Structures are given as structure tokens and as C-alpha cells.
């Protein structure tokens, strides 16, 4: 993601609109380039960017949108691209959780100008750690290699060291692992997508439970399955619900990340760099993260429960999971 932001030419004080529910990796590069992450609110049952709020957050300083395909769900990507085009912004797809996901039948990464995938251990495919940044746009493609390789253009010394780049090179040994893993991707993701859709089917209509929305034209790769509790329909809190599920032998997480990104101490204290945020001190941004309000984002974090489905499970297992959720929901129904 750092390579993507550097290649996109994001400059100090520029703004990049993205999600508050994601891994910090989405915005590390934005911050290291001295740009400003701006958080837009999310859709309630996908956790993906709400295009209407993205539009509201655009200012004269906005340079890019990072669409995070949360859990592997490329929701409303086309609308985000239209907004990006209308405002001459670069659309970066954060596909870290979305290996094998399809938007309207096309692989994620084919809509935005630059996209990034994670190969960290827990992803659908992995080589231990690392990732891939890619572009089909000639403007950005060559810059990705350069900014991932200490600002060096190995083919053209004159084009080297014109700007600062870090070393994000991956070893050939890791790349060989990934090449092998890629041959398994379709099997892995088609299974996950089938199991996720089955879980939705089995849970639809369960009082107190909101299912993970995926457009029927798309394929979600379900890095996780996100349910949300509907508190007013239940006589228990989320911790009680997940505890009761555990007693049924089924593990759902009691939440996702502890706080939206803008609620993390380094955002609230603007203390990214040894207690400082130089661009704020220099007057290049007036951003105050203590004032950020994204009500849907916060509602999701208060009520979500994640189920880590994976391709080693089968239909019978998923039906059993759904049965346990229905049992607990029925027990606590108001
Ligand atoms: C949405 C998202 N973006 C970025 C990252 C960062 O990826 P990595 O840990 O490979 O740097 C992650 C990691 O989980 C992620 O989930």
C-alpha cells in the first residue's frame, strides 16, 4: 500500500479517503508519505465505503480513494470509480482480504488504477508474509517497481533516485511459493464463496441476526463472514451471545478491531512520528481525528461478530454453525 500511494504521487498534505474499519496497513503508506487519511462512513451490512459519504468528504486536497474490500467483498466499486473519475482522483483497491473476489464477474484490481494484495499468513493464499502491488495503467505500473525498490529504476539509471522509495522487495523463494499457491486460488475461493452464501441462506430471517450482504453479481472471498447482532431484538449482549455459541462448539469473534482507525491513540493524539505529526505542525492539514464521526462504522464495531470460515469446511459443517446461531438467537429473542 505504501508503494501504491508513492506511485500515485500523493504529496504532503494531500488527502486520501478510506475506511475506518480495516487493518492499519491500509493507511501506513498514506501517513509515511505525509498525506492525510480521511475517513468516510461505511455501509451497514458490508463494512465497505458508502459512496455518498465518500463524495461528502471530497475537498480540493483529495487526491485518492482507497476502497477496502472488507472480508473480500468488492461492494459498490463501480460507483467509487465513477466518483473518482468525476473528481479526477486515483482509485486504489486494497484487495488485502480479497484474493479471488470478483466485481461484476471481473477480478478485483481491474477497476482501480492501482491495487494491492496481502500474502500475509492468514490470507486466502500466502507465502508467509509480503504482498503484491499492481496496475494495468502504464502511468503507474513502472512506478510500482521503482517505489518498491528504493526508488531505483533498474533499467534506466537516469530515472533512479529521483524520489525516496523504501525496500519492499520480496524474495524469489517467496515468489515461487506464491506462483504455486495461485494455481489453487480458484478452488479455495470458489469454495469459500459457496460456503459464505450458504451461511447467509441458512441465517436469513433469524431474529436478532443481520447477515453479511454480498451483491448477487459479485463474488466475495470471505476472509471472514460478518454477522451483526440487532440489539433491540435480543435480551443479551454480544459477549453473552458469543459465549453461548462457544458452548455450542461454534466460534464467532466478539467484535473485530477494537476501535475504528481514527480512534487509535496515535490518531487521537496526532503522535505518528515520535509524538509529532509534522504536516499538522506545519499547517498543511487541519485534520483533528478526535472530531471524526462515522456513526455506521461505530455501530458495526459495536455489534459485529465474525466467523472465520475457510475452504477446509464443508456444507454440513456450515449448516451446523447456522443451527447453533439460530438456537442461541431463539433462546435470547425478545
Ligand atoms: C484490508 C487490509 N489492508 C492492508 C493489510 C496489510 O497487509 P499486510 O499485513 O500484508 O501488510 C491488511 C492485513 O490484514 C488488511 O486486512
Amino acid at each position: 500500500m505504501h508503494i501504491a500511494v508513492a506511485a500515485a504521487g500523493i504529496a504532503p498534505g494531500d488527502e486520501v479517503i478510506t475506511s475506518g474499519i480495516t487493518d492499519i496497513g491500509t493507511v501506513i503508506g498514506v501517513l509515511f508519505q505525509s498525506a492525510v487519511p480521511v475517513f468516510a462512513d461505511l455501509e451497514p451490512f458490508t463494512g465497505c465505503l458508502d459512496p455518498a459519504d465518500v463524495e461528502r468528504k471530497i475537498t480540493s486536497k483529495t487526491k485518492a480513494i482507497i476502497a477496502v474490500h472488507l472480508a473480500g467483498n468488492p461492494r459498490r466499486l463501480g460507483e467509487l470509480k465513477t466518483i473518482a473519475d468525476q473528481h479526477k482522483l486515483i482509485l486504489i483497491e486494497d484487495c488485502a482480504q480479497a484474493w479471488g473476489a470478483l466485481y461484476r464477474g471481473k477480478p478485483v484490481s481491474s477497476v482501480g488504477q492501482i491495487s494491492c494484495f496481502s500474502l500475509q499468513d492468514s490470507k486466502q493464499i500466502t507465502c508467509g508474509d509480503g504482498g503484491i502491488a499492481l496496475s494495468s495503467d502504464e502511468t503507474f505500473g513502472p512506478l510500482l517497481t521503482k517505489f518498491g525498490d528504493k526508488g531505483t529504476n533498474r533499467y534506466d539509471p537516469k530515472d533512479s533516485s529521483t524520489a525516496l522509495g523504501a525496500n519492499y522487495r520480496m524474495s524469489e523463494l517467496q515468489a515461487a511459493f506464491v506462483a504455486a499457491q495461485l494455481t489453487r486460488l480458484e478452488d479455495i475461493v470458489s469454495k469459500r464463496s459457496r460456503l459464505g452464501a450458504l451461511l447467509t441462506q441458512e441465517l436469513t430471517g433469524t431474529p436478532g441476526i443481520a447477515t453479511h450482504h454480498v451483491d448477487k453479481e459479485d463474488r466475495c472471498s470471505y476472509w471472514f463472514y460478518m454477522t451483526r447482532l440487532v440489539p433491540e431484538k435480543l435480551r443479551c449482549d454480544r459477549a453473552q451471545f458469543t459465549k453461548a455459541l462457544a458452548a455450542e462448539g461454534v466460534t464467532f469473534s466478539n467484535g473485530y478491531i477494537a476501535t475504528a482507525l481514527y480512534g487509535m491513540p496515535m490518531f487521537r493524539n496526532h503522535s505518528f512520528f515520535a509524538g509529532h505529526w509534522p504536516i499538522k505542525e506545519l499547517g498543511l492539514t487541519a485534520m483533528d481525528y478526535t472530531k471524526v464521526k462515522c456513526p455506521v462504522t461505530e455501530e458495526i464495531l459495536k455489534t459485529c461478530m465474525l466467523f472465520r470460515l475457510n475452504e477446509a469446511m464443508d456444507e454440513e459443517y456450515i449448516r451446523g454453525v447456522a443451527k447453533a446461531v439460530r438456537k442461541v438467537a431463539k433462546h435470547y429473542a425478545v
Side-chain angles (χ1 to χ4, degrees), residues 119-163:
L119 289 162
Q120 174 270 339
D121 253 345
S122 65
K123 301 303 184 321
Q124 292 91 344
I125 61 169
T126 178
C127 61
D129 224 325
I132 294 175
L134 57 104
S135 177
S136 54
D137 186 323
E138 285 303 318
T139 321
F140 302 108
L143 296 173
L144 297 176
T145 324
K146 183 172 161 174
F147 281 110
D149 190 8
K150 299 185 282 187
T152 311
N153 181 337
R154 301 272 164 190
Y155 304 102
D156 181 2
K158 287 197 295 305
D159 183 42
S160 290
S161 309
T162 56

Side-chain angles (χ1 to χ4, degrees), residues 5 10-19 26-40 57-59 61-66 261-262 267 270 272-273 277-281 283-289 292:
V5 174
I10 309 293
D14 286 350
E15 296 179 356
V16 178
I17 300 176
T18 193
S19 302
T26 300
V27 297
I28 288 174
V30 177
L31 290 163
F32 268 116
Q33 291 305 108
S34 292
V36 182
V38 172
F39 296 98
K57 299 279 160 72
I58 292 174
T59 70
K61 290 180 158 188
T62 310
K63 289 287 153 49
I65 299 169
I66 300 179
L261 261 44
Y262 53 81
F267 284 90
H270 306 106
F272 302 107
F273 300 97
W277 194 18
I279 51 168
K280 191 161 166 79
E281 291 166 15
L284 288 175
T285 181
M287 172 59 79
D288 180 348
Y289 288 110
V292 175

Side-chain angles (χ1 to χ4, degrees), residues 10-205:
I10 309 293
D14 286 350
E15 296 179 356
V16 178
I17 300 176
T18 193
S19 302
I21 300 183
T22 180
D23 179 83
I24 185 67
T26 300
V27 297
I28 288 174
V30 177
L31 290 163
F32 268 116
Q33 291 305 108
S34 292
V36 182
V38 172
F39 296 98
D41 214 350
L42 308 176
E43 287 196 321
F45 303 110
T46 65
C48 296
L49 280 173
D50 170 359
D53 202 46
V54 169
E55 260 200 301
R56 281 192 285 272
K57 299 279 160 72
I58 292 174
T59 70
S60 58
K61 290 180 158 188
T62 310
K63 289 287 153 49
I65 299 169
I66 300 179
V68 177
H69 305 323
L70 193 71
N73 189 5
R75 174 88 169 138
R76 305 190 79 173
L77 188 52
E79 284 157 86
L80 293 173
K81 181 66 164 61
T82 304
I83 293 170
D85 288 348
Q86 276 165 357
H87 295 269
K88 299 197 166 35
L89 309 176
I90 296 166
L91 179 66
I92 299 173
E93 291 184 54
D94 180 343
C95 308
Q97 304 183 359
W99 278 105
L102 303 175
Y103 176 74
R104 305 305 190 246
K106 284 168 57 184
V108 288
S109 81
S110 50
V111 176
Q113 282 96 331
I114 309 177
S115 300
C116 302
F117 290 85
S118 170
L119 289 162
Q120 174 270 339
D121 253 345
S122 65
K123 301 303 184 321
Q124 292 91 344
I125 61 169
T126 178
C127 61
D129 224 325
I132 294 175
L134 57 104
S135 177
S136 54
D137 186 323
E138 285 303 318
T139 321
F140 302 108
L143 296 173
L144 297 176
T145 324
K146 183 172 161 174
F147 281 110
D149 190 8
K150 299 185 282 187
T152 311
N153 181 337
R154 301 272 164 190
Y155 304 102
D156 181 2
K158 287 197 295 305
D159 183 42
S160 290
S161 309
T162 56
L164 190 62
N167 179 358
Y168 286 115
R169 294 191 314 250
M170 190 166 81
S171 72
E172 290 193 12
L173 193 61
Q174 285 173 297
F177 262 84
V178 181
Q181 293 257 312
L182 279 168
T183 64
R184 303 173 56 228
L185 181 63
E186 182 54 32
D187 284 351
I188 292 172
V189 174
S190 56
K191 179 90 180 280
R192 280 180 178 246
S193 144
R194 236 180 20 251
L195 296 178
L198 176 63
L199 191 51
T200 297
Q201 185 188 311
E202 292 283 313
L203 291 179
T204 299

Side-chain angles (χ1 to χ4, degrees), residues 209-321:
I209 298 290
T211 54
H212 193 153
H213 177 84
V214 177
D215 283 348
K216 61 179 182 328
E217 301 90 341
D218 298 338
R219 178 164 84 174
C220 176
S221 55
Y222 290 106
W223 189 53
F224 53 74
Y225 185 100
M226 183 178 85
T227 49
R228 284 185 59 192
L229 293 183
V230 186
E232 55 281 12
K233 298 253 169 82
L234 296 165
R235 291 178 292 105
C236 66
D237 64 19
R238 184 172 61 184
Q240 288 168 307
F241 199 99
T242 52
K243 195 166 166 216
L245 274 177
E248 296 294 321
V250 169
T251 305
F252 273 60
S253 72
N254 184 22
Y256 180 32
I257 52 175
T259 162
L261 261 44
Y262 53 81
M264 291 175 165
M266 65 179 154
F267 284 90
R268 296 190 64 78
N269 302 326
H270 306 106
S271 61
F272 302 107
F273 300 97
H276 296 270
W277 194 18
I279 51 168
K280 191 161 166 79
E281 291 166 15
L282 289 168
L284 288 175
T285 181
M287 172 59 79
D288 180 348
Y289 288 110
T290 63
K291 302 245 161 67
V292 175
K293 294 235 168 346
C294 293
V296 179
T297 299
E298 280 148 45
E299 238 2 83
I300 295 172
L301 288 174
K302 270 192 231 146
T303 57
C304 71
M305 302 187 305
L306 310 189
F307 175 63
R308 300 274 175 181
L309 71 72
N310 69 63
E311 63 280 4
M313 297 169 178
D314 62 15
E315 277 77 4
E316 194 187 335
Y317 185 83
I318 294 295
R319 285 202 178 87
V321 167

